[in-house]
Amino acid sequence: MPGNEIHSNHQLWPLLLYAGIVFILLIAILFLSYLLGQHHHDRATSKPYEGGIEQTGSARLRFSAQFYLVAMLFVIFDVEAVFIILWALGFYELGWFGYAGVAIFIGQLVVVLIYEWGIGALDIGVDGRKILRKYRELTS
């Protein structure tokens, strides 16, 4: 319908006007920042941090892969906590089907947690038993 196209364009012009104003303000702010900003190159300007603390050593530290694995597990279980909280908010509306669904979900989380624990993914740092065993081998 031709009348419907005109009506949809009529509702679109405020959004386009807003986007245009935002774009113009963005360009103006960037230009003024460049124009009025300080253009100096001191000794500390080229350093990673301008806090006045002298840099010692390299900022590139090696982390073990175990650190990243634990970080990923934390993120995964943290996201699942959000799902459980959302389920709790809709508890009365979901009824027994919702309860069964979240029970299965939590059961799967427990199984995954037991599996991760079993393969040693949650063991952070050195294993005290291995160190003690090695010490006993060396002293005997």
Side-chain angles (χ1 to χ4, degrees), residues 47-131:
K47 293 196 175 192
Y49 304 104
E50 294 185 36
I53 299 173
E54 287 296 319
Q55 178 179 342
T56 58
S58 174
R60 306 227 181 256
L61 299 175
R62 288 187 168 268
F63 290 103
S64 92
Q66 193 77 20
F67 172 79
Y68 295 106
L69 180 63
V70 171
M72 286 189 300
L73 288 173
F74 172 76
V75 169
I76 290 169
F77 282 102
D78 196 40
V79 169
E80 267 104 25
V82 171
F83 290 136
I84 294 171
I85 289 171
L86 291 176
W87 166 80
L89 291 175
F91 175 73
Y92 291 112
E93 290 85 15
L94 296 173
W96 285 105
F97 290 112
Y99 181 76
V102 83
I104 292 170
F105 182 68
I106 291 173
Q108 287 175 341
L109 286 178
V110 169
V111 168
V112 168
L113 183 62
I114 291 170
Y115 173 74
E116 295 290 340
W117 194 354
I119 65 170
L122 301 177
D123 297 335
I124 303 173
V126 294
D127 188 4
R129 284 179 261 146
K130 287 182 182 177
I131 293 174

Coordinates of all heavy atoms in Angstrom, one line a residue, residues 47-131:
K47 N 56.1 5.7 27.5 CA 56.0 4.5 28.3 C 54.6 4.0 28.5 O 53.6 4.7 28.3 CB 56.6 4.8 29.7 CG 58.1 5.1 29.6 CD 58.7 5.0 31.0 CE 60.2 5.2 30.8 NZ 60.9 4.9 32.0
P48 N 54.4 2.7 28.8 CA 53.1 2.1 28.9 C 52.2 2.8 29.9 O 51.0 3.0 29.8 CB 53.3 0.7 29.2 CG 54.7 0.4 28.9 CD 55.4 1.6 29.0
Y49 N 52.8 3.2 31.1 CA 52.1 3.8 32.2 C 52.8 5.1 32.5 O 54.0 5.2 32.7 CB 52.0 2.9 33.4 CG 51.4 1.5 33.1 CD1 52.3 0.4 33.0 CD2 50.1 1.4 32.9 CE1 51.7 -0.8 32.7 CE2 49.6 0.1 32.6 CZ 50.4 -0.9 32.5 OH 49.9 -2.2 32.2
E50 N 52.0 6.2 32.6 CA 52.5 7.5 33.0 C 52.3 7.7 34.5 O 52.0 8.9 34.9 CB 51.9 8.6 32.1 CG 52.2 8.5 30.7 CD 51.6 9.6 29.9 OE1 51.6 10.7 30.4 OE2 51.1 9.4 28.8
G51 N 52.5 6.7 35.3 CA 52.3 6.9 36.7 C 53.5 7.4 37.5 O 53.5 7.6 38.7
G52 N 54.7 7.6 36.8 CA 55.9 8.0 37.5 C 56.7 6.9 38.0 O 57.8 7.1 38.6
I53 N 56.2 5.7 37.9 CA 57.0 4.5 38.4 C 57.8 4.0 37.3 O 57.3 3.7 36.2 CB 56.0 3.4 38.9 CG1 55.2 4.0 40.1 CG2 56.8 2.2 39.4 CD1 54.1 3.0 40.6
E54 N 59.1 3.8 37.5 CA 60.0 3.3 36.5 C 59.7 1.8 36.2 O 59.4 1.0 37.2 CB 61.5 3.4 37.0 CG 62.0 4.9 36.9 CD 62.0 5.4 35.5 OE1 62.3 4.7 34.6 OE2 61.6 6.6 35.4
Q55 N 59.7 1.5 35.0 CA 59.4 0.1 34.6 C 60.6 -0.8 34.9 O 61.8 -0.5 34.6 CB 59.1 0.1 33.1 CG 58.8 -1.2 32.5 CD 58.5 -1.1 31.0 OE1 58.2 0.0 30.6 NE2 58.6 -2.2 30.3
T56 N 60.3 -1.9 35.5 CA 61.4 -2.9 35.7 C 61.0 -4.2 35.1 O 59.9 -4.7 35.4 CB 61.7 -3.1 37.2 OG1 60.5 -3.5 37.9 CG2 62.2 -1.8 37.9
G57 N 61.8 -4.8 34.3 CA 61.5 -6.1 33.7 C 60.4 -6.0 32.6 O 60.1 -4.9 32.2
S58 N 60.0 -7.1 32.2 CA 59.0 -7.2 31.1 C 57.6 -7.3 31.6 O 57.4 -7.9 32.7 CB 59.3 -8.4 30.2 OG 58.3 -8.6 29.2
A59 N 56.7 -6.7 30.9 CA 55.3 -6.9 31.3 C 54.7 -8.2 30.8 O 53.5 -8.5 31.1 CB 54.5 -5.7 30.7
R60 N 55.4 -8.9 30.0 CA 54.9 -10.1 29.4 C 55.2 -11.3 30.4 O 56.4 -11.8 30.4 CB 55.5 -10.4 28.1 CG 55.3 -9.2 27.2 CD 54.9 -9.7 25.8 NE 54.7 -8.6 24.9 CZ 53.5 -8.1 24.6 NH1 52.5 -8.6 25.1 NH2 53.4 -7.1 23.7
L61 N 54.2 -11.7 31.1 CA 54.4 -12.8 32.1 C 53.7 -14.1 31.5 O 52.7 -14.0 30.9 CB 53.8 -12.5 33.4 CG 54.3 -11.3 34.2 CD1 53.5 -11.0 35.4 CD2 55.8 -11.5 34.5
R62 N 54.3 -15.2 31.7 CA 53.7 -16.4 31.3 C 52.8 -17.0 32.3 O 53.2 -17.1 33.5 CB 54.8 -17.5 30.9 CG 55.6 -17.1 29.7 CD 56.5 -18.3 29.3 NE 57.0 -18.1 28.0 CZ 56.5 -18.6 26.9 NH1 55.4 -19.3 27.0 NH2 57.0 -18.5 25.8
F63 N 51.6 -17.3 32.0 CA 50.7 -17.9 32.9 C 50.5 -19.4 32.4 O 50.5 -19.6 31.2 CB 49.3 -17.2 32.8 CG 49.3 -15.9 33.5 CD1 49.3 -14.7 32.7 CD2 49.3 -15.8 34.9 CE1 49.3 -13.5 33.3 CE2 49.3 -14.6 35.5 CZ 49.3 -13.4 34.7
S64 N 50.3 -20.3 33.3 CA 50.1 -21.6 32.9 C 48.7 -21.8 32.3 O 47.8 -21.0 32.5 CB 50.2 -22.6 34.1 OG 49.0 -22.8 34.7
A65 N 48.5 -22.8 31.5 CA 47.3 -23.1 30.8 C 46.2 -23.4 31.9 O 45.0 -23.2 31.6 CB 47.4 -24.2 29.8
Q66 N 46.6 -23.9 33.0 CA 45.7 -24.2 34.1 C 44.9 -23.0 34.6 O 43.7 -23.0 34.9 CB 46.5 -24.8 35.3 CG 45.6 -25.5 36.3 CD 45.1 -26.8 35.9 OE1 45.7 -27.4 35.0 NE2 44.1 -27.3 36.5
F67 N 45.6 -21.8 34.6 CA 45.0 -20.6 35.0 C 43.8 -20.2 34.0 O 42.7 -19.9 34.5 CB 46.0 -19.4 34.9 CG 45.4 -18.1 35.1 CD1 45.1 -17.6 36.4 CD2 45.2 -17.3 34.0 CE1 44.5 -16.4 36.6 CE2 44.7 -16.0 34.2 CZ 44.3 -15.6 35.5
Y68 N 44.0 -20.4 32.7 CA 43.0 -20.1 31.8 C 41.8 -21.1 31.8 O 40.7 -20.7 31.7 CB 43.6 -20.0 30.4 CG 44.6 -18.9 30.2 CD1 45.9 -19.2 30.1 CD2 44.2 -17.6 30.1 CE1 46.9 -18.2 30.0 CE2 45.1 -16.6 30.0 CZ 46.4 -16.9 29.9 OH 47.3 -15.9 29.8
L69 N 42.1 -22.3 32.1 CA 41.1 -23.3 32.3 C 40.2 -23.0 33.4 O 39.0 -23.1 33.3 CB 41.7 -24.7 32.4 CG 40.8 -25.9 32.6 CD1 39.9 -26.0 31.3 CD2 41.5 -27.2 32.9
V70 N 40.8 -22.7 34.6 CA 40.0 -22.3 35.7 C 39.2 -21.0 35.5 O 38.0 -20.9 35.9 CB 40.9 -22.2 37.0 CG1 40.1 -21.6 38.2 CG2 41.5 -23.5 37.3
A71 N 39.7 -20.1 34.8 CA 39.0 -18.9 34.4 C 37.8 -19.2 33.5 O 36.7 -18.6 33.7 CB 39.9 -17.9 33.7
M72 N 38.0 -20.1 32.6 CA 36.9 -20.4 31.7 C 35.8 -21.2 32.5 O 34.6 -20.9 32.3 CB 37.3 -21.3 30.5 CG 38.1 -20.5 29.5 SD 38.4 -21.5 28.0 CE 39.4 -22.8 28.6
L73 N 36.2 -22.1 33.4 CA 35.2 -22.8 34.2 C 34.4 -21.8 35.1 O 33.2 -21.9 35.3 CB 35.9 -23.8 35.0 CG 36.4 -25.0 34.3 CD1 37.2 -25.9 35.2 CD2 35.3 -25.8 33.7
F74 N 35.1 -20.8 35.6 CA 34.4 -19.8 36.4 C 33.4 -19.1 35.6 O 32.3 -18.9 36.1 CB 35.5 -18.8 37.0 CG 34.8 -17.6 37.7 CD1 34.2 -17.8 39.0 CD2 34.7 -16.4 37.1 CE1 33.6 -16.8 39.6 CE2 34.1 -15.4 37.7 CZ 33.5 -15.5 39.0
V75 N 33.8 -18.6 34.4 CA 32.8 -17.9 33.6 C 31.6 -18.8 33.2 O 30.5 -18.4 33.3 CB 33.5 -17.4 32.3 CG1 32.5 -16.9 31.3 CG2 34.5 -16.3 32.6
I76 N 31.9 -20.1 32.9 CA 30.8 -21.0 32.5 C 29.8 -21.1 33.7 O 28.6 -21.0 33.6 CB 31.4 -22.3 32.1 CG1 32.0 -22.2 30.7 CG2 30.3 -23.4 32.0 CD1 32.9 -23.4 30.3
F77 N 30.4 -21.4 34.9 CA 29.5 -21.6 36.0 C 28.8 -20.3 36.5 O 27.8 -20.4 37.1 CB 30.2 -22.3 37.2 CG 30.4 -23.8 37.0 CD1 31.6 -24.3 36.5 CD2 29.4 -24.7 37.2 CE1 31.8 -25.7 36.3 CE2 29.5 -26.0 36.9 CZ 30.7 -26.5 36.5
D78 N 29.5 -19.2 36.3 CA 28.9 -17.9 36.6 C 27.7 -17.6 35.7 O 26.7 -17.1 36.2 CB 29.9 -16.8 36.5 CG 29.6 -15.6 37.2 OD1 29.0 -15.7 38.3 OD2 29.8 -14.5 36.6
V79 N 27.8 -18.0 34.4 CA 26.7 -17.7 33.5 C 25.5 -18.7 33.9 O 24.3 -18.3 33.9 CB 27.1 -18.0 32.1 CG1 25.9 -18.0 31.1 CG2 28.1 -16.9 31.6
E80 N 25.8 -19.9 34.3 CA 24.7 -20.8 34.7 C 24.0 -20.3 36.0 O 22.8 -20.5 36.2 CB 25.2 -22.2 35.0 CG 25.1 -23.0 33.8 CD 26.5 -23.2 33.1 OE1 27.5 -23.1 33.7 OE2 26.5 -23.5 31.9
A81 N 24.7 -19.6 36.8 CA 24.1 -19.0 38.0 C 23.0 -18.0 37.6 O 22.0 -17.8 38.2 CB 25.1 -18.3 38.9
V82 N 23.3 -17.2 36.5 CA 22.3 -16.3 36.0 C 21.1 -17.0 35.5 O 19.9 -16.5 35.8 CB 22.9 -15.4 34.8 CG1 21.9 -14.6 34.2 CG2 24.1 -14.6 35.4
F83 N 21.2 -18.1 34.9 CA 20.1 -18.9 34.4 C 19.2 -19.4 35.6 O 18.0 -19.3 35.6 CB 20.5 -20.1 33.5 CG 21.0 -19.7 32.2 CD1 22.1 -20.3 31.7 CD2 20.4 -18.7 31.4 CE1 22.7 -20.0 30.5 CE2 20.9 -18.4 30.2 CZ 22.0 -19.0 29.7
I84 N 19.9 -19.8 36.6 CA 19.2 -20.3 37.8 C 18.4 -19.2 38.5 O 17.3 -19.3 39.0 CB 20.1 -21.1 38.7 CG1 20.6 -22.3 38.0 CG2 19.5 -21.4 40.1 CD1 21.7 -23.1 38.8
I85 N 19.1 -18.0 38.6 CA 18.4 -16.8 39.2 C 17.2 -16.5 38.4 O 16.1 -16.2 39.0 CB 19.4 -15.7 39.3 CG1 20.4 -16.0 40.4 CG2 18.7 -14.4 39.7 CD1 21.6 -15.0 40.5
L86 N 17.3 -16.5 37.1 CA 16.1 -16.1 36.2 C 15.0 -17.2 36.4 O 13.8 -16.8 36.4 CB 16.5 -16.0 34.8 CG 17.4 -14.8 34.4 CD1 17.8 -14.9 33.0 CD2 16.7 -13.5 34.7
W87 N 15.4 -18.4 36.6 CA 14.4 -19.5 36.9 C 13.7 -19.2 38.2 O 12.5 -19.3 38.3 CB 15.0 -20.8 36.9 CG 14.1 -21.9 37.5 CD1 13.1 -22.5 36.8 CD2 14.1 -22.3 38.8 NE1 12.5 -23.4 37.7 CE2 13.1 -23.3 38.9 CE3 14.9 -22.1 39.9 CZ2 12.8 -23.9 40.1 CZ3 14.6 -22.7 41.1 CH2 13.6 -23.6 41.2
A88 N 14.5 -18.8 39.2 CA 13.9 -18.5 40.5 C 12.9 -17.3 40.4 O 11.9 -17.3 41.1 CB 15.0 -18.2 41.5
L89 N 13.2 -16.4 39.6 CA 12.2 -15.2 39.4 C 10.9 -15.7 38.8 O 9.9 -15.1 39.2 CB 12.9 -14.1 38.6 CG 14.0 -13.4 39.2 CD1 14.7 -12.4 38.3 CD2 13.6 -12.7 40.5
G90 N 10.9 -16.7 37.9 CA 9.7 -17.1 37.3 C 9.2 -18.4 37.9 O 8.5 -19.2 37.2
F91 N 9.6 -18.7 39.1 CA 9.3 -20.0 39.7 C 7.8 -20.4 39.7 O 7.4 -21.5 39.3 CB 9.8 -20.1 41.1 CG 9.5 -21.3 41.9 CD1 10.1 -22.5 41.6 CD2 8.5 -21.3 42.9 CE1 9.8 -23.7 42.3 CE2 8.2 -22.5 43.6 CZ 8.8 -23.6 43.3
Y92 N 6.9 -19.5 40.1 CA 5.5 -19.8 40.2 C 4.8 -19.9 38.8 O 3.9 -20.7 38.7 CB 4.8 -18.7 41.0 CG 5.2 -18.7 42.5 CD1 5.9 -17.7 43.1 CD2 4.9 -19.8 43.3 CE1 6.3 -17.7 44.4 CE2 5.2 -19.9 44.6 CZ 6.0 -18.8 45.2 OH 6.3 -18.9 46.5
E93 N 5.3 -19.2 37.9 CA 4.7 -19.3 36.5 C 5.1 -20.5 35.8 O 4.4 -21.1 35.0 CB 5.1 -18.0 35.7 CG 4.4 -16.8 36.1 CD 5.2 -16.1 37.2 OE1 6.4 -16.4 37.5 OE2 4.6 -15.2 37.9
L94 N 6.3 -21.0 36.1 CA 6.9 -22.2 35.4 C 6.3 -23.5 35.9 O 6.2 -24.5 35.1 CB 8.4 -22.3 35.5 CG 9.1 -21.1 34.8 CD1 10.6 -21.1 35.1 CD2 8.8 -21.1 33.3
G95 N 5.9 -23.6 37.2 CA 5.3 -24.8 37.7 C 6.3 -26.0 37.8 O 7.5 -25.8 37.9
W96 N 5.7 -27.2 37.8 CA 6.5 -28.4 38.0 C 7.4 -28.7 36.8 O 8.5 -29.3 36.9 CB 5.6 -29.6 38.2 CG 5.1 -29.5 39.6 CD1 3.8 -29.2 40.0 CD2 5.8 -29.8 40.8 NE1 3.7 -29.3 41.4 CE2 4.9 -29.6 41.9 CE3 7.1 -30.2 41.1 CZ2 5.3 -29.8 43.2 CZ3 7.5 -30.4 42.4 CH2 6.6 -30.2 43.5
F97 N 6.9 -28.3 35.6 CA 7.8 -28.5 34.4 C 9.1 -27.6 34.5 O 10.2 -28.1 34.1 CB 7.0 -28.1 33.1 CG 5.9 -29.1 32.8 CD1 4.6 -28.7 32.8 CD2 6.2 -30.4 32.4 CE1 3.6 -29.6 32.5 CE2 5.3 -31.3 32.1 CZ 3.9 -30.9 32.2
G98 N 8.9 -26.4 35.0 CA 10.1 -25.6 35.2 C 11.0 -26.1 36.3 O 12.2 -26.1 36.2
Y99 N 10.4 -26.7 37.3 CA 11.2 -27.3 38.4 C 12.0 -28.5 37.9 O 13.1 -28.7 38.2 CB 10.3 -27.7 39.5 CG 11.0 -28.3 40.7 CD1 11.7 -27.5 41.6 CD2 11.0 -29.7 40.9 CE1 12.4 -28.1 42.6 CE2 11.7 -30.3 42.0 CZ 12.4 -29.4 42.8 OH 13.1 -30.0 43.9
A100 N 11.3 -29.3 37.1 CA 12.0 -30.5 36.5 C 13.1 -30.1 35.6 O 14.2 -30.7 35.6 CB 11.0 -31.4 35.8
G101 N 12.9 -29.0 34.8 CA 13.9 -28.6 33.9 C 15.1 -28.0 34.6 O 16.3 -28.3 34.2
V102 N 14.9 -27.3 35.7 CA 16.1 -26.7 36.4 C 16.7 -27.8 37.2 O 18.0 -27.8 37.4 CB 15.7 -25.5 37.3 CG1 15.1 -25.9 38.6 CG2 16.8 -24.6 37.5
A103 N 16.0 -28.8 37.6 CA 16.6 -29.9 38.3 C 17.6 -30.7 37.4 O 18.7 -31.1 37.8 CB 15.6 -30.9 38.9
I104 N 17.1 -31.0 36.2 CA 18.0 -31.6 35.2 C 19.2 -30.7 34.9 O 20.3 -31.2 34.8 CB 17.2 -31.9 33.9 CG1 16.1 -33.0 34.2 CG2 18.1 -32.3 32.8 CD1 15.1 -33.2 33.1
F105 N 19.0 -29.5 34.8 CA 20.1 -28.5 34.5 C 21.1 -28.5 35.6 O 22.3 -28.6 35.4 CB 19.5 -27.1 34.3 CG 20.4 -26.0 34.0 CD1 21.1 -26.0 32.7 CD2 20.7 -25.0 34.9 CE1 22.0 -25.0 32.4 CE2 21.6 -24.0 34.6 CZ 22.3 -24.1 33.3
I106 N 20.7 -28.5 36.9 CA 21.6 -28.5 38.0 C 22.3 -29.8 38.1 O 23.5 -29.9 38.4 CB 20.8 -28.1 39.3 CG1 20.4 -26.6 39.3 CG2 21.7 -28.4 40.5 CD1 19.6 -26.2 40.4
G107 N 21.5 -30.9 37.8 CA 22.1 -32.2 37.7 C 23.3 -32.3 36.7 O 24.3 -32.9 37.0
Q108 N 23.1 -31.7 35.5 CA 24.1 -31.7 34.5 C 25.3 -30.9 35.0 O 26.5 -31.3 34.8 CB 23.6 -31.1 33.2 CG 22.7 -32.0 32.5 CD 22.1 -31.4 31.2 OE1 22.1 -30.1 31.1 NE2 21.6 -32.2 30.3
L109 N 25.1 -29.8 35.7 CA 26.2 -29.0 36.2 C 27.0 -29.8 37.3 O 28.2 -29.7 37.3 CB 25.6 -27.7 36.9 CG 25.1 -26.6 36.0 CD1 24.6 -25.5 36.8 CD2 26.2 -26.2 35.0
V110 N 26.3 -30.5 38.1 CA 27.0 -31.4 39.1 C 27.8 -32.4 38.4 O 29.0 -32.7 38.8 CB 26.0 -32.0 40.1 CG1 26.6 -33.0 41.0 CG2 25.3 -30.9 41.0
V111 N 27.3 -33.1 37.4 CA 28.0 -34.1 36.7 C 29.3 -33.5 36.0 O 30.4 -34.1 36.1 CB 27.1 -34.8 35.6 CG1 27.9 -35.6 34.7 CG2 26.1 -35.6 36.3
V112 N 29.1 -32.3 35.4 CA 30.3 -31.7 34.8 C 31.3 -31.3 35.8 O 32.5 -31.4 35.6 CB 29.8 -30.5 34.0 CG1 31.0 -29.6 33.5 CG2 29.0 -30.9 32.7
L113 N 30.8 -30.8 37.0 CA 31.8 -30.4 38.0 C 32.5 -31.6 38.6 O 33.7 -31.5 38.8 CB 31.0 -29.7 39.2 CG 31.8 -29.2 40.4 CD1 32.8 -28.1 39.9 CD2 30.9 -28.7 41.4
I114 N 31.8 -32.7 38.8 CA 32.5 -33.9 39.2 C 33.5 -34.4 38.2 O 34.7 -34.8 38.5 CB 31.5 -35.0 39.6 CG1 30.7 -34.6 40.8 CG2 32.2 -36.4 39.8 CD1 29.5 -35.5 41.1
Y115 N 33.1 -34.3 36.9 CA 34.1 -34.7 35.8 C 35.3 -33.9 35.8 O 36.4 -34.3 35.8 CB 33.3 -34.7 34.5 CG 34.3 -34.9 33.3 CD1 34.8 -36.2 33.0 CD2 34.7 -33.9 32.5 CE1 35.6 -36.4 32.0 CE2 35.5 -34.1 31.5 CZ 36.0 -35.3 31.2 OH 36.9 -35.5 30.2
E116 N 35.1 -32.5 35.9 CA 36.2 -31.6 35.9 C 37.1 -31.8 37.1 O 38.4 -31.7 37.0 CB 35.7 -30.2 35.9 CG 35.0 -29.8 34.6 CD 35.9 -29.7 33.4 OE1 37.1 -29.6 33.5 OE2 35.4 -29.8 32.3
W117 N 36.5 -32.1 38.2 CA 37.3 -32.4 39.4 C 38.1 -33.7 39.3 O 39.3 -33.8 39.7 CB 36.4 -32.5 40.6 CG 37.0 -32.4 42.0 CD1 38.3 -32.4 42.3 CD2 36.3 -32.3 43.2 NE1 38.5 -32.3 43.6 CE2 37.3 -32.3 44.2 CE3 35.0 -32.3 43.6 CZ2 37.0 -32.3 45.6 CZ3 34.7 -32.3 44.9 CH2 35.7 -32.2 45.9
G118 N 37.5 -34.7 38.7 CA 38.1 -36.0 38.5 C 39.3 -35.9 37.6 O 40.3 -36.6 37.8
I119 N 39.3 -35.1 36.5 CA 40.4 -35.1 35.6 C 41.5 -34.1 36.1 O 42.5 -33.9 35.4 CB 40.0 -34.7 34.2 CG1 39.4 -33.3 34.1 CG2 39.0 -35.7 33.6 CD1 39.2 -32.8 32.7
G120 N 41.2 -33.4 37.2 CA 42.2 -32.5 37.7 C 42.2 -31.1 37.2 O 43.1 -30.3 37.4
A121 N 41.1 -30.7 36.6 CA 41.0 -29.4 36.0 C 40.9 -28.3 37.1 O 41.2 -27.1 36.8 CB 39.8 -29.3 35.0
L122 N 40.5 -28.7 38.2 CA 40.3 -27.7 39.3 C 41.5 -27.6 40.3 O 41.5 -26.9 41.2 CB 39.0 -28.0 40.1 CG 37.7 -28.0 39.3 CD1 36.6 -28.4 40.2 CD2 37.5 -26.7 38.6
D123 N 42.5 -28.4 40.0 CA 43.7 -28.4 40.8 C 44.6 -27.3 40.4 O 45.2 -27.2 39.3 CB 44.5 -29.7 40.7 CG 43.7 -30.9 41.1 OD1 42.8 -30.7 42.0 OD2 44.0 -32.0 40.7
I124 N 44.7 -26.3 41.3 CA 45.5 -25.1 41.0 C 46.8 -25.2 41.8 O 46.8 -25.5 43.0 CB 44.7 -23.8 41.4 CG1 43.4 -23.8 40.6 CG2 45.6 -22.6 41.1 CD1 42.5 -22.6 41.0
G125 N 47.9 -24.8 41.2 CA 49.1 -24.8 41.9 C 49.8 -26.2 41.9 O 49.4 -27.1 41.2
V126 N 50.8 -26.3 42.8 CA 51.5 -27.6 42.9 C 50.7 -28.6 43.7 O 50.0 -28.3 44.6 CB 52.9 -27.3 43.5 CG1 53.7 -26.5 42.6 CG2 52.8 -26.7 44.8
D127 N 51.0 -29.9 43.4 CA 50.4 -31.0 44.1 C 51.3 -31.3 45.3 O 52.4 -31.8 45.1 CB 50.2 -32.2 43.2 CG 49.3 -33.3 43.8 OD1 48.9 -33.1 45.0 OD2 49.2 -34.3 43.2
G128 N 50.8 -31.2 46.5 CA 51.5 -31.4 47.7 C 51.9 -32.9 47.8 O 53.0 -33.2 48.3
R129 N 51.1 -33.8 47.4 CA 51.4 -35.2 47.4 C 52.6 -35.6 46.6 O 53.4 -36.4 46.9 CB 50.1 -36.1 47.1 CG 49.1 -36.1 48.2 CD 47.9 -36.9 47.8 NE 46.9 -35.9 47.4 CZ 46.0 -36.1 46.4 NH1 46.0 -37.2 45.7 NH2 45.2 -35.2 46.1
K130 N 52.6 -35.0 45.4 CA 53.7 -35.3 44.5 C 55.0 -34.8 45.0 O 56.1 -35.4 45.0 CB 53.5 -34.6 43.1 CG 52.4 -35.3 42.3 CD 52.3 -34.7 40.9 CE 51.2 -35.3 40.1 NZ 51.0 -34.6 38.8
I131 N 55.0 -33.6 45.7 CA 56.2 -33.0 46.2 C 56.7 -33.9 47.4 O 57.9 -34.2 47.6 CB 55.9 -31.6 46.7 CG1 55.7 -30.7 45.5 CG2 57.1 -31.0 47.5 CD1 55.3 -29.3 45.8

